[in-house]
Amino acid sequence: MIQVKISFQLNGDAVTAEVPDHTTLLEMLREEFELLGVKEGCGHGECGSCTVLVDQKSVNSCLMLAAYVNGRTVQTIEGLAGAQGRLDPLQEAFVKHGAVQCGFCTPGMIMSAKALLAENPNPSRDEIRWGMAGNLCRCTGYVKIVDAVESVCKGGCSCGEGS
Amino acid sequence: MKGFTYHEPNSIGDAVNLLNDNGARASLIAGGTDLVIKMKQGKSEPEHVISLQSIPGINEIKYSGEELRIGSMVTHRAIEQSKIIRDKFSLLADAVDNLGSVQVRNLATIGGNICNGAPSADTVGPLMALDAVLLFEGPEGERSIPITEFFHGPGKTAQAANEILKEIVIHDLPPGSCSRYIKYTRRKAMDLPLLGIALVLVSDGAEDVCKEARIGLTLAAPTPIRATKTEEYVAGKPLRSSAMWDEAGNIAVNESSPRTSFRTTSAYRKKIIQALLPRAAFEAIRRLSEQQRKG
C-alpha cells in the first residue's frame, strides 16, 4: 500500500505519521494518535462534530486528506486544556451553563467557538449563531450553547452571572 | 474511500505534467470539500490525486486599481474577509457570506467552486455579472476563457482534461456602480440555493438613469446564464422605477428555462426570478445611495 509521511505540530508537539494516501485527517487523528475527542458524525462536512483547528482555522477534519496538514499546526479538543488539566474558559463555560447533553457535538462546538472568539472576542448572539452554523446539536435547542460562548469574554475570563 | 497515489507538486508546470501524464486517472484536489465526499461515496475513484496546495502564487487576492486578480486556491473565507472585495465587488462577498459553514469556507476554494461546474455554485452568478475571465495553464501554455462561455451543462465545462485554473481576472467596475447577489434558500444557513441572482448596475449619477446592467442567473437554466434581454431592456431606463423593475422581472422569467429538480419545480423557480430581480436591484441601489451619502 502507498504510504504518505506526514510531519506536523499536534497539540503543541512535533509528530510524524505514516498513513495510506487516502487517509482523512479525522481517521489519522483518531486511529494513529487516539484523539477520540474528534468525532465522526455525518462524514460529509455538514454536522461539524469533527471540527479541529488547522493553523488556527476551524475545519472539518472528515473532509481533509491527512496529507494536507504536512508542515501545519493542528489543535484538537485534547490540546485545549492547560497545565494540570486546567480547563479552557470555553470548556468551563460549557460545564457551567449545562451546554452539554449527550456530548457528541461538544468537542466540535468548542473548537468552532474557539476559532470564532479568536477572530471576534466579543460576538453578538447572532454572530455566535452564524459563526457556529456548521455545528449541529441534535439534543439541545442551542440556547445554552450560545449562552456558554457568550459568557466567555475578551481576555479569556468567564464573565457569566455571579462570577 | 478507494486508495490512490497522492501528489503535491511545487509548481504549476509540474502539476500540468502530472495531469497530462495520468489523464482521466487523475483528479486535481483544491479544498477537497467536494472531491473527498465524491471519493467517499465512490462517485469518483481517481488513481492519482494531485494537490494544488503547494503551488506558489495561486492563493492571493491582488488589486491594482484597474483589475482584481483572485488566485484559484483562494478560499471562500479569504474572499469573505477581503476588504477590497467587500468594498468594490460586494456581490462576490454576498456569495461567500452564506456558502456552507465557516469550516467549509476555510477549505473550499473559488477555483473549485467554478471548475466543478455545479449549477448551484454561489460564486459563479457574481463572476458572470462581473464578466470575469478565467486563466488556465495547460501543456501549450496559458489560455483565457470568459466565464460566460465556460459552462456547457451540469458538471460540464470548457476546461480541458490537462488544464489547471490559475487565476480569475475581473476588471474594475465603472464609477457609479453597485451590485448585489441574492441566494434564495429554504433555510438561513448551510443550504444550497434554489435560485441565485447576481446583478451589477451602473448609474449615470446626474440623471439617475441605469447606463448598464449585468445580470447573472444561476439555476435559471441548465447552466448559469446572463439575462441579456433583461439587460438590454434595463439599459437607459430610470434606475429607481419599481414598474420598470417589475417588467424587467417578467423579461427575465421569459428568457429563463429553469429545471424541475428534487429541490423545487421550474414554475416555482420562475416565481422566484420575478420576485427576486426587483429585490436584488433595490438592494444594490440602496448600497449606491449609501456610498453616495458617504461621498
Side-chain angles (χ1 to χ4, degrees):
Chain A
M1 192 181 289
I2 308 143
Q3 298 268 323
V4 59
K5 190 175 172 188
I6 302 157
S7 301
F8 63 108
Q9 290 280 325
L10 178 57
N11 294 332
D13 298 324
V15 297
T16 299
E18 275 191 48
V19 294
D21 284 19
H22 61 285
T23 308
T24 63
L25 176 59
L26 170 75
E27 289 164 344
M28 177 171 76
L29 293 173
R30 286 182 62 87
E31 289 160 27
E32 298 295 314
F33 297 99
E34 298 181 356
L35 296 172
L36 304 183
V38 191
K39 305 295 185 193
E40 178 163 31
C42 68
H44 289 85
E46 299 282 345
C47 78
S49 60
C50 66
T51 302
V52 300
L53 306 188
V54 173
D55 292 345
Q56 277 93 54
K57 293 192 174 94
S58 60
V59 295
N60 299 114
S61 61
C62 74
L63 291 182
M64 300 172 76
L65 296 180
Y68 180 93
V69 301
N70 189 40
R72 298 182 189 260
T73 303
V74 178
Q75 192 179 24
T76 70
I77 189 77
E78 289 87 350
L80 218 52
Q84 282 94 48
R86 188 174 46 80
L87 293 181
D88 183 271
L90 261 171
Q91 291 172 304
E92 275 179 14
F94 268 63
V95 173
K96 184 176 160 193
H97 289 267
V100 178
Q101 281 191 36
C102 86
F104 193 84
C105 72
T106 310
M109 286 281 177
I110 291 177
M111 297 315 282
S112 270
K114 191 78 189 161
L116 171 71
L117 294 180
E119 284 184 358
N120 180 4
N122 284 303
S124 66
R125 287 183 77 86
D126 265 0
E127 286 170 331
I128 294 169
R129 293 184 79 92
W130 196 246
M132 295 179 63
N135 292 81
L136 301 184
C137 170
R138 300 289 79 177
C139 303
T140 79
Y142 298 99
V143 172
K144 290 179 176 181
I145 294 171
V146 177
D147 288 347
V149 177
E150 195 183 26
S151 76
V152 180
C153 71
K154 200 171 186 173
C157 63
S158 190
C159 62
E161 75 282 14
S163 61
Chain B
M1 204 184 325
K2 214 172 149 191
F4 52 74
T5 307
Y6 177 81
H7 306 269
E8 199 176 304
N10 294 311
S11 75
I12 191 99
D14 288 351
V16 168
N17 288 339
L18 273 166
L19 198 54
N20 206 30
D21 293 347
N22 293 296
R25 294 175 298 145
S27 274
L28 295 173
I29 189 166
T33 53
D34 285 306
L35 182 67
V36 171
I37 293 174
K38 282 186 198 157
M39 293 195 296
K40 283 185 178 190
Q41 292 172 333
K43 288 180 184 167
S44 178
E45 295 187 329
E47 290 169 38
H48 298 270
V49 170
I50 305 165
S51 168
L52 302 178
Q53 71 159 328
S54 292
I55 296 172
I58 60 169
N59 62 354
E60 293 162 24
I61 298 171
K62 287 177 276 188
Y63 179 66
S64 67
E66 285 167 10
E67 60 182 21
L68 175 74
R69 301 179 83 94
I70 306 175
S72 58
M73 286 294 282
V74 168
T75 64
H76 292 105
R77 188 76 172 150
I79 293 172
E80 184 187 351
Q81 294 176 333
S82 160
K83 191 173 182 310
I84 197 77
I85 290 177
R86 200 160 287 277
D87 288 350
K88 293 207 169 248
F89 306 92
S90 56
L91 78 173
L92 200 50
D94 295 336
V96 292
D97 276 345
N98 189 10
L99 187 158
S101 58
V102 174
Q103 293 98 310
V104 166
R105 296 199 291 277
N106 276 331
L107 291 173
T109 65
I110 187 165
N113 200 236
I114 297 166
C115 292
N116 268 325
S120 56
D122 274 308
T123 63
V124 167
L127 292 172
M128 299 273 289
L130 288 166
D131 273 325
V133 172
L134 309 178
L135 205 58
F136 287 86
E137 181 79 20
E140 276 88 50
E142 268 187 13
R143 180 164 84 110
S144 62
I145 308 173
I147 194 162
T148 49
E149 295 166 21
F150 185 63
F151 299 99
H152 294 172
K156 294 196 183 83
T157 68
Q159 183 178 17
N162 53 13
E163 279 183 328
I164 298 172
L165 178 61
K166 287 198 298 194
E167 256 186 338
I168 298 106
V169 184
I170 298 165
H171 282 288
D172 211 12
L173 295 173
S177 299
C178 56
S179 69
R180 179 75 168 111
Y181 170 69
I182 296 184
K183 163 183 184 165
Y184 192 82
T185 54
R186 290 161 301 177
R187 29 190 337 267
K188 277 189 187 168
M190 297 293 286
D191 201 1
L192 296 176
L194 298 181
L195 196 102
I197 288 198
L199 179 135
V200 172
L201 302 177
V202 186
S203 137
D204 167 356
E207 306 286 331
D208 221 16
V209 160
C210 183
K211 277 201 296 194
E212 187 192 351
R214 298 191 231 151
I215 302 165
L217 301 178
T218 45
L219 296 161
T223 63
I225 56 166
R226 278 281 289 269
T228 50
K229 287 184 183 139
T230 314
E231 293 176 0
E232 280 167 27
Y233 168 78
V234 171
K237 299 280 189 320
L239 185 67
R240 294 165 209 258
S241 158
S242 49
M244 189 279 283
W245 282 110
D246 286 343
E247 178 57 16
N250 292 334
I251 298 169
V253 169
N254 287 334
E255 65 178 318
S256 304
S257 51
R259 296 191 305 169
T260 291
S261 69
F262 73 94
R263 283 184 206 286
T264 190
T265 61
S266 172
Y268 188 59
R269 286 197 164 105
K270 287 185 178 176
K271 295 257 184 219
I272 302 172
I273 295 168
Q274 197 154 31
L276 220 54
L277 184 70
R279 193 182 307 171
F282 280 102
E283 289 187 14
I285 293 165
R286 195 174 65 217
R287 284 181 178 171
L288 183 68
S289 306
E290 278 165 19
Q291 279 169 32
Q292 285 166 341
R293 225 185 359 260
K294 282 183 200 161

